[in-house]
Amino acid sequence: MPVTALVSAASCGVTSSALALTLASARPSLLAECDPKGGTLRAGFLQGQVNAGYGLYHLAAAERVGPEALAQTFASHLWPVDEAGHRKILPGLTDPAQAAALDRTWSALSDVLHVLAHDAGHDVFIDAGRLAVTSGHLHPTLTPAPLIHQADLVLLVVRNTEASLALTRHLVDPLRTELDEHGTGASALGLLVLEREATHRGRGYTTHQIADALKTPVLAALPWDAAVADFLTEGGTPPRGYARSELLRHARTASEQLEAVAQRRRVQQEFPSQPAQPQLAGVLQRLTQHRAGRRG
Ligand SMILES: Nc1ncnc2c1ncn2[C@@H]1O[C@H](COP(=O)(O)OP(=O)(O)OP(=O)(O)O)[C@@H](O)[C@H]1O
Ligand SMILES: [Mg+2]
């Protein structure tokens, strides 16, 4: 299953979308809240049930001991969000100042997340927060750059509004370059569009227009649903019909689409298309014609 990192230009719905995908996935799933600017799930969706003794920050000390200590600490800091324990959250930082301690941890954490996804069949979603770019590159402390580089898919979350498009536009080229230079290639990059209906205040762009404007494929779309998104952000009592809501149903479809795209990329990386070999093609053609002729 893929490791998918979600990022944005501005606070447009990364955390709630990553949570919706995690809760709706058809497989065991994990949301790793790795926004260096601090996590919001602890106080919001988790309603303060998880204290500061749990979460991402504690992985920094474990990583300094070694990979096994990191893997064990990681496993013991996951918070289940369903009764069966199939859906889990790694709660994020309680203070943005903690991010500096994680410089060395991101890459080792990425390895752990990839093992969980590829060997243990989890859908892994990373909340990598708002992107900070400096001199055309991901900021080394204000972004969890190694997690983004190594993700199977990087989803740039964008709303279908003029304001969101205007801010997001500047991130596309630096992200593409970064993935080409340090990651698995720019083809890991796609858009997750949050589709707000057109209002008197502004038109809602179609996914087609957004893909065109940002020159990036739309890999998934989620509907605008203030009540469900508010529950995912603030926690508390779920709104009526929450489990069958459009937002969760689309999130389930989206998680399937993402898995399919990641699978296609894996195949392409394993078996890159060969440059055309005219001589070989000619020999094969003659052979097949010869056989067909003998049969006839
Ligand atoms: N699909 C949606 N429909 C309606 N409202 C949404 C949707 N997704 C997110 N929101 C709302 O947008 C606001 C921001 O959401 P969220 O906290 O997920 O964004 P974020 O990108 O993680 O922000 P930050 O970068 O500040 O962490 C919240 O009020 C949330 O309820
Ligand atoms: Mg967030």
Side-chain angles (χ1 to χ4, degrees), residues 114-146:
H114 280 270
V115 170
L116 190 71
H118 302 155
D119 298 350
H122 279 60
D123 262 335
V124 175
F125 299 100
I126 301 170
D127 176 349
R130 274 165 281 159
L131 287 184
V133 171
T134 168
S135 315
H137 290 282
L138 293 180
H139 193 287
T141 314
L142 299 179
T143 64

Side-chain angles (χ1 to χ4, degrees), residues 22-23 27-29 45 79-88:
T22 305
L23 295 173
R27 295 168 285 273
S29 56
F45 182 71
W79 192 264
V81 285
D82 65 350
E83 276 182 18
H86 290 150
R87 302 172 197 288
K88 302 174 223 44

